[in-house]
Amino acid sequence: MKKKARIAVTRKLPATVETQLGILFDSKFNLDDTPFSESQLIRAVNWADILVPTVTDKVNAKVINAASPNLKLIANFGVGVNHIDLEAAEAKGIQVSNTPDVLTEDTADLAMALIIMASRRLGEGERMVRAGNWTGWTPTQLMGNRVSGRNLGIIGMGRIGQALAKRARGFGMSIHYHNRKRLNLKIERELKAKHWESLDGMIANMEIISINTPLTPSTANILNAERLKRMQPSSVLINTSRGGLIDEEALVENLMKGQIGAAALDVFDGEPHVNPKLMHLENVVLLPHLGSATIEGRVAMGDKVILNAKRFIDGYPPPDKLILELP
Ligand code: 8YV
């Protein structure tokens, strides 16, 4: 009988996913779900034919170069792959796959929720009630801004950006976007989205900005201090992508000075560490990277990992194999 391929899974996945993996592969799971250290990752890539990492694993060149020659696939649980050194993987002949599509709607829902939370000051209201500080309704209490009629500027109009645009239209917002490549006109018309060639120009004209681009060397720090300064004083910034896209220190400074109205962040540079200055700001919503955290989404992400791994073992390219883009 053919030996089963070895798969090392770095974090606890939904039970149905682990059961399937256990049937199909010689699997090693992370029973207590503690994030792997570098040496644990190196042990995993030394043993496995396939590694299943998540956003909490730094699959850097050192880890990849320490892998046994048997490691041939990194089947990431998640769509973002900024935690994996793709060039080092390519150089070693290791394929990398991810889990696109299945988390698009959930992440767009969360971005829409954050737009409403930040605009309507829902976090402040929740904190007030929980702290026992609510003394009763008043006509001027916690007045926020109406989302209907507002300009939304989406940076990165891929799957999640477009799904957010659809939702925001339903809420009566006008949609603007900046993208590496302009969308085709049919999609642009369907979304009633206005394209901005100039990111700086769009930023200066928006009341709400949502960043929905992957973190790559060319997008890192895309919202730098210079760009953040261009935002309108009452504008709102939403990030459900990656912390490294924004200069967090400059953001804090602008929020403190009232140069940006509010921010709602689901992701942080160096998470789970969160800049303590953010914690003390009332005009900020902070969530623990919940973008794709639905039961349906996480099971579907697991199913994609299984499919990618299975196809690979059967001798085909994984359906979600990443092609390394040259700069
Ligand atoms: C996941 C995400 O929870 O898929 C992504 O890129 O940011 C999240 O929705 C996480 O990455 C799982 O590894």
Side-chain angles (χ1 to χ4, degrees):
M1 206 177 74
K2 217 174 130 210
K3 255 178 57 192
K4 284 183 179 174
R6 292 173 165 186
I7 199 162
V9 183
T10 65
R11 298 303 299 267
K12 191 149 191 53
L13 302 184
T16 53
V17 175
E18 290 199 346
T19 304
Q20 273 306 306
L21 285 168
I23 294 168
L24 293 167
F25 302 96
D26 177 4
S27 311
K28 264 200 183 144
F29 298 115
N30 179 348
L31 298 179
D32 68 5
D33 201 26
T34 319
F36 274 15
S37 63
E38 190 173 80
S39 57
Q40 284 172 305
L41 271 176
I42 289 177
R43 262 204 302 279
V45 294
N46 255 308
W47 173 81
D49 303 314
I50 301 171
L51 176 74
V52 180
T54 75
V55 69
T56 59
D57 301 301
K58 286 190 183 57
V59 189
N60 55 27
K62 184 171 171 203
V63 169
I64 288 171
N65 292 331
S68 91
N70 294 339
L71 187 85
K72 286 281 174 254
L73 175 66
I74 299 174
N76 187 53
F77 181 85
V79 71
V81 288
N82 54 291
H83 54 289
I84 302 172
D85 190 325
L86 299 179
E87 281 175 22
E90 166 129 322
K92 241 191 141 196
I94 298 170
Q95 301 186 43
V96 180
S97 62
N98 66 348
T99 62
D101 299 316
V102 291
L103 43 72
T104 300
E105 306 299 323
D106 296 327
T107 309
D109 284 347
L110 194 90
M112 194 62 228
L114 289 180
I115 289 174
I116 299 173
M117 279 189 83
S119 303
R120 296 295 304 276
R121 306 175 64 180
L122 302 187
E124 287 174 72
E126 226 258 349
R127 290 193 289 276
M128 178 198 275
V129 174
R130 277 189 190 274
N133 293 336
W134 188 38
T135 51
W137 184 89
T138 85
T140 54
Q141 188 172 63
L142 285 179
M143 292 186 295
N145 286 111
R146 178 182 291 162
V147 295
S148 172
R150 297 214 129 201
N151 290 329
L152 168 65
I154 300 175
I155 304 174
M157 201 59 146
R159 286 176 285 251
I160 297 171
Q162 291 180 36
L164 172 61
K166 285 185 195 145
R167 283 156 176 75
R169 285 229 36 103
F171 280 85
M173 304 177 78
S174 82
I175 311 302
H176 301 250
Y177 78 97
H178 170 84
N179 199 41
R180 218 168 23 150
K181 231 176 101 206
R182 188 170 178 173
L183 297 179
N184 79 44
L185 291 183
K186 186 169 169 280
I187 300 180
E188 221 176 70
R189 243 177 272 127
E190 268 166 26
L191 297 172
K192 295 202 174 69
K194 176 181 157 43
H195 172 252
W196 288 74
E197 190 65 48
S198 156
L199 176 57
D200 290 348
M202 181 176 89
I203 287 174
N205 283 282
M206 293 300 117
E207 292 156 313
I208 301 173
I209 291 171
S210 173
I211 183 142
N212 296 97
T213 182
L215 176 61
T216 67
S218 55
T219 61
N221 212 28
I222 189 168
L223 287 182
N224 56 25
E226 198 54 48
R227 290 217 167 98
L228 289 171
K229 237 189 257 156
R230 291 176 195 272
M231 286 179 65
Q232 297 181 4
S234 57
S235 59
V236 173
L237 178 62
I238 311 296
N239 188 4
T240 51
S241 301
R242 287 292 182 269
L245 295 163
I246 302 179
D247 181 335
E248 229 168 60
E249 271 303 322
L251 175 65
V252 168
E253 207 178 298
N254 285 318
L255 285 163
M256 284 165 95
K257 288 188 188 149
Q259 277 162 358
I260 293 179
L265 311 171
D266 186 41
V267 286
F268 305 88
D269 204 12
E271 61 187 52
H273 173 76
V274 176
N275 187 328
K277 290 185 208 146
L278 281 171
M279 308 266 201
H280 300 296
L281 290 174
E282 279 297 345
N283 51 347
V284 165
V285 178
L286 305 170
L287 293 184
H289 200 147
L290 291 180
S292 64
T294 64
I295 296 165
E296 297 84 348
R298 292 286 160 84
V299 170
M301 286 160 71
D303 288 345
K304 280 225 156 202
V305 166
I306 294 169
L307 186 66
N308 282 313
K310 181 122 184 23
R311 293 285 293 172
F312 170 75
I313 290 303
D314 292 343
Y316 302 101
D320 303 305
K321 177 181 167 172
L322 293 169
I323 313 290
L324 190 63
E325 280 181 39
L326 296 170

